[in-house]
Amino acid sequence: AASEVYKRQPPLTAKEKALIRDQLPFYKTQDDGLSKKFEKRVVRFRSRKKILFHEDVKEVEKIKLLLSATGAMLTLGMVDFLILSIHKIIVYPSQYYSPITKQEHYGEYNPGFKTAIFSEEQLLKGFRIPNDNINLAVHEFAHALSFNVANKLNIRSFLFLYGTKKMSQLLKNSEFNEKWKKTGYFRDYGRTNVHEFFAVAVESYVETPKDFESHFPKLFRIVKFMLNLGFYRLP
């Protein structure tokens, strides 16, 4: 019965597809089979996630669509595409005070409450500039995905944790860090810990995959392996 409800959700409109294509570069790189799979998952994600908006948020439908597209994109290589470690998404108009961390934030993911929180301003900026390797939705969803995958006893979880271990080793590698400094390709915030490193790397994987593979081919392969994503047709 419940699955029937989700099947009846209307497909993405031509206008919605155009918006995703404009703001998530990866969508242009897929073949028809992956496109159809992705579009169905966007619709299901949107229909099944509880997204709450502060009354001053203006772009409600656009944000729903882009958040759903982000979730569907990052899990395209996985069977479980709903990111069950996110029960609720809250969107404020701009920077907000978090009673959880007692700090001002633009975005955060709280695993205890299974909640992702975003500022509309920074969220839309991340999509509007699709090649600066900064995308708040991708960053926080990457955190949620880590939490979701790592806490399951299955082969995908094992592979994900193996990738995390490899990333931890790179983070301690002096040659890798020297190259990081030299290229300036990743922002320094990624050095905080392996979880931030993963989230920053995923932003780059989504936004500038060719540069990523060119600068850091080993890390590029690790991220691709962890997400099971090979949707970029790279030369």
Side-chain angles (χ1 to χ4, degrees), residues 11-131:
L12 293 176
T13 64
K15 191 177 177 183
E16 287 173 331
K17 289 180 191 178
L19 178 63
I20 298 171
R21 202 172 287 117
D22 180 55
Q23 311 226 334
L24 275 181
F26 102 100
Y27 189 32
K28 299 171 191 168
T29 70
Q30 300 171 84
D31 59 34
D32 286 346
L34 267 182
S35 286
K36 285 183 171 58
K37 179 181 174 183
F38 168 71
E39 288 157 15
K40 282 179 184 171
R41 286 186 169 194
V42 173
V43 169
R44 288 186 185 175
F45 194 99
R46 182 169 58 180
S47 70
R48 294 174 76 165
K49 282 297 169 201
K50 189 175 184 181
I51 307 179
L52 306 174
F53 294 90
H54 185 278
E55 61 185 15
D56 292 335
V57 172
K58 297 179 180 69
E59 303 269 18
V60 170
E61 293 308 318
K62 182 178 182 178
I63 288 171
K64 273 187 193 173
L65 178 67
L66 290 175
L67 286 176
S68 301
T70 302
M73 170 185 65
L74 293 179
T75 56
L76 203 53
M78 301 178 188
V79 175
D80 170 16
F81 64 90
L82 286 172
I83 315 184
L84 297 177
S85 53
I86 298 178
H87 280 184
K88 189 165 57 176
I89 298 169
I90 302 169
V91 183
Y92 289 98
S94 55
Q95 193 172 346
Y96 61 89
Y97 177 77
S98 167
I100 300 162
T101 64
K102 308 282 192 288
Q103 290 178 332
E104 294 284 325
H105 283 275
Y106 287 123
E108 64 181 306
Y109 168 66
N110 185 284
F113 290 97
K114 294 188 175 179
T115 300
I117 310 174
F118 298 102
S119 130
E120 176 185 32
E121 188 184 343
Q122 291 300 313
L123 189 64
L124 293 177
K125 186 180 177 186
F127 288 109
R128 202 164 51 244
I129 309 169
N131 59 356

Side-chain angles (χ1 to χ4, degrees), residues 195-230:
H195 304 294
E196 294 300 345
F197 183 28
F198 174 69
V200 165
V202 172
E203 286 175 278
S204 298
Y205 185 87
V206 167
E207 296 218 335
T208 58
K210 288 181 182 176
D211 291 344
F212 191 164
E213 191 182 42
S214 170
H215 290 310
F216 298 97
K218 185 178 177 182
L219 179 59
F220 181 86
R221 287 194 299 273
I222 292 170
V223 174
K224 181 176 175 180
F225 170 81
M226 289 171 78
L227 296 175
N228 193 30
L229 284 180

